[in-house]
Amino acid sequence: MVVVGAGLAGLRTAEGLRRHGWDGPVTIVGDEVHMPYTRPPLSKKLLLEGGDHAGVELRRRDSGHPLQWRLGRRAVASDLDGCSVTLDDGTVLCYQGLVAATGVRARRLPGSLDGPTAVLRTLDDAQALTGRLHPGARVVVIGAGFIGCEVAGTALSRGCAVSVVAIDELPMVAPLGPLVGAELRRRHAAAGVNFHLGTGIVSVDEGGVVLSDGTRLEADVVVEAIGLQPATEWLAGNGLDLADGVVCDEFLRLGGRKGTVGVGDVARFPNALYDATPRRIEHWQVAVDTSLYAAASLVGDLTGRPPEKPFGTVPTFWSDQASVSIRALGQPALATDVEVLEGDLSGEAAIGYRRDGRLVGVLLLGLPKRMGFYLKHLTDDLAAAPTH
Ligand SMILES: Cc1cc2nc3c(=O)[nH]c(=O)nc-3n(C[C@H](O)[C@H](O)[C@H](O)COP(=O)(O)OP(=O)(O)OC[C@H]3O[C@@H](n4cnc5c(N)ncnc54)[C@H](O)[C@@H]3O)c2cc1C
């Protein structure tokens, strides 16, 4: 087996292959030099307090059959008909089963690759950024999605003066809608974040950024948090749909090909609890769920026991920002209607997201003890009749 990508999904899939009885060689290729680590602390605890790999390393489960690691090596090409993957040192790895687990990388502003801006995707990014968030530093965050808002909140906690610039009219409006976006803006602004929303960027230089409304913001640190780019280049030339991640079938096979699976942030897959539309979901728990399922699916395909039930999950996501813990259940972004189910939006609340009258997601602002209740409620609802 060859697993490309040594992150959360690559590790958990490799371990799953062992659990499902695959005792042949399993090679994991990763272009970072680190053993797999967990990323959520990179914008939270590690960015706030500093830290190293030991503090974020993922626990590895020993199966008695060791995994073979090829770290610091990038997969540059693949031949799915010939069952091989080529690495950046020219090595060709042949496989019976292939796992695509290459995740995403930070999307960059045009022309900014060699510029003065920072991004936050890897441990190295986080360590470099932490060292620059001094008390009093002027920080401009470009992008008001989850990562942008978490970085803004953490930088504020480190005593920085923080501005957030985004083309969207509200923070996190695409995944969570305007009702919650407005409330999160209120909370961040009350904490001291200075928002410039509905505004583009004209230029970035060593000393700051110029906005499309002509405003110049002086900055000691500029962080780009404008979204993510799936790492699929190595899969090109195989007839796969790579328009946004790699499209997988309902059993998580790459383009329906037996003997291959896609997992984690890079995979675009249908969710049997929702509908047949393939979507990418960049959540830690979904990386785990797809890995556990795909390991069984892949071993099943290779041993004549193909999977029977298509993949289905209720995605869950958490974020800590603006002094509130946010828990998203399901797929709020699919909703057409949003309502407060419980509590007070300006304090702690449960918000329901509906499409065609059916619940497709729930967001909790605080209310940690209600998580189990709403997860069961949503799961039961979705299982009763998937959305179409
Ligand atoms: C700062 C930050 C905060 C986050 N916070 C949260 C949170 O609070 N809650 C939540 O649910 N999720 C959060 N996430 C998202 C979560 O971490 C991801 O969903 C998860 O890491 C996905 O795992 P993955 O293995 O699919 O991808 P990754 O973790 O990105 O791993 C993919 C690996 O493959 C490597 N790779 C890429 N291309 C190649 C190649 N060609 N050859 C070899 N290796 C390659 C990459 O370098 C990387 O090491 C956060 C992410 C970040 C960056």
Side-chain angles (χ1 to χ4, degrees):
M1 296 278 191
V2 171
V3 178
V4 184
L8 172 66
L11 174 64
R12 293 295 177 242
T13 309
E15 292 174 340
L17 296 173
R18 292 288 186 234
R19 231 183 358 270
H20 289 282
W22 190 265
D23 55 11
V26 176
T27 301
I28 307 186
V29 180
D31 63 356
E32 293 185 75
V33 294
H34 309 291
M35 288 299 269
Y37 59 89
T38 190
R39 293 179 202 270
L42 304 185
S43 51
K44 307 175 184 74
K45 190 167 188 289
L46 189 139
L47 195 63
L48 185 64
E49 299 169 4
D52 57 17
H53 180 255
V56 289
E57 186 168 3
L58 284 164
R59 194 166 61 83
R60 296 190 295 281
R61 291 149 193 161
D62 186 8
S63 68
H65 295 280
L67 305 169
Q68 291 161 14
W69 297 90
R70 302 289 285 262
L71 297 180
R73 285 269 78 90
R74 175 182 296 265
V76 292
S78 55
D79 173 359
L80 299 197
D81 290 332
C83 296
S84 69
V85 173
T86 305
L87 308 189
D88 56 357
D89 63 353
T91 307
V92 177
L93 300 176
C94 296
Y95 63 78
Q96 270 179 279
L98 174 69
V99 179
T102 39
V104 291
R105 65 177 68 92
R107 195 182 291 276
R108 306 302 304 261
L109 286 168
S112 76
L113 258 187
D114 299 318
T117 56
V119 292
L120 182 55
R121 179 69 196 173
T122 66
L123 174 61
D124 298 354
D125 295 338
Q127 288 177 319
L129 184 56
T130 307
R132 299 176 65 195
L133 298 180
H134 307 297
R138 295 160 303 174
V139 177
V140 173
V141 179
I142 304 174
F146 277 103
I147 301 289
C149 287
E150 285 193 353
V151 169
T154 304
L156 208 62
S157 301
R158 286 182 64 107
C160 303
V162 182
S163 300
V164 172
V165 180
I167 204 86
D168 289 333
E169 297 290 341
L170 290 168
M172 285 161 287
V173 67
L176 302 182
L179 182 74
V180 172
E183 172 56 19
L184 291 173
R185 179 187 56 185
R186 186 192 69 74
R187 292 181 190 228
H188 277 290
V193 174
N194 183 16
F195 280 104
H196 297 262
L197 297 170
T199 314
I201 299 285
V202 174
S203 63
V204 180
D205 58 51
E206 291 289 346
V209 302
V210 177
L211 312 188
S212 54
D213 64 5
T215 308
R216 178 176 172 83
L217 299 176
E218 301 298 330
D220 302 301
V221 184
V222 178
V223 183
E224 283 181 54
I226 58 167
L228 299 160
Q229 174 83 45
T232 52
E233 296 82 356
W234 65 282
L235 286 167
N238 288 295
L240 297 168
D241 180 345
L242 303 178
D244 174 27
V246 53
V247 170
C248 302
D249 71 5
E250 67 272 36
F251 303 109
L252 301 185
R253 300 174 184 129
L254 304 180
R257 281 174 184 256
K258 286 191 175 179
T260 70
V261 288
V263 291
D265 285 6
V266 77
R268 184 149 65 100
F269 53 86
N271 184 338
L273 287 180
Y274 281 84
D275 55 25
T277 305
R279 297 185 182 88
R280 279 192 323 103
I281 304 180
E282 296 157 358
H283 296 1
W284 194 96
Q285 188 57 48
V286 174
V288 174
D289 293 346
T290 51
S291 301
L292 299 182
Y293 178 95
S297 161
L298 182 53
V299 173
D301 270 348
L302 295 176
T303 55
R305 291 175 284 116
E308 288 166 12
K309 277 178 69 176
F311 178 71
T313 189
V314 178
T316 60
F317 180 90
W318 75 95
S319 176
D320 297 321
Q321 49 180 283
S323 305
V324 66
S325 102
I326 300 173
R327 298 283 177 278
L329 315 175
Q331 302 199 62
L334 302 184
T336 47
D337 301 297
V338 182
E339 61 174 334
V340 176
L341 300 174
E342 174 183 341
D344 167 13
L345 197 59
S346 62
E348 293 192 281
I351 297 104
Y353 291 78
R354 295 183 191 281
R355 184 167 75 178
D356 302 329
R358 290 176 44 76
L359 201 60
V360 291
V362 174
L363 187 87
L364 296 176
L365 293 176
L367 297 180
K369 292 189 178 147
R370 300 294 280 157
M371 170 98 172
F373 169 81
Y374 282 111
L375 187 56
K376 181 168 184 331
H377 180 26
L378 182 59
T379 308
D380 290 349
D381 247 42
L382 290 169
T387 318
H388 291 290

